[in-house]
């Protein structure tokens, strides 16, 4: 399953979260580090849901760009 990941740069590193997996977050000093960490977080998050017998949410979020 492929989930949408939101990556933000608030000015002191990077943060990432997955809208379809509440609580699945990561933070790093660089974008590359954050991308690697969020991939790992998604994998662990889904694994933990399965281990506890909880449903794994289907990917529903979509992404797009808007011009100002």
């Amino acid at each position: 399953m492929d989930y949408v990941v939101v990556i933000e740069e608030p000015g002191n590193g990077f943060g990432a979260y997955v809208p379809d997996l509440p609580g699945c977050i990561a933070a790093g000093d660089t974008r590359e580090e954050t991308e690697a960490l969020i991939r790992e977080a998604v994998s662990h998050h889904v694994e933990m849901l399965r281990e506890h017998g909880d449903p794994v949410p289907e990917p529903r979020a979509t992404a797009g760009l808007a011009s100002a």
Side-chain angles (χ1 to χ4, degrees):
M1 289 187 276
D2 294 323
Y3 290 97
V4 169
V5 173
V6 177
I7 299 175
E8 300 176 324
E9 183 182 9
N12 56 345
F14 292 81
Y17 66 94
V18 182
D20 291 322
L21 298 173
C24 187
I25 60 171
D29 293 327
T30 66
R31 182 180 181 92
E32 293 78 17
E33 177 186 18
T34 305
E35 288 173 354
L37 290 171
I38 196 66
R39 279 192 296 275
E40 188 176 321
V42 168
S43 177
H44 289 302
H45 194 94
V46 170
E47 182 180 321
M48 292 305 294
L49 288 171
R50 288 182 176 144
E51 283 181 11
H52 288 99
D54 295 325
V56 176
E58 291 291 322
R60 302 179 121 206
T62 59
L65 299 175
S67 298

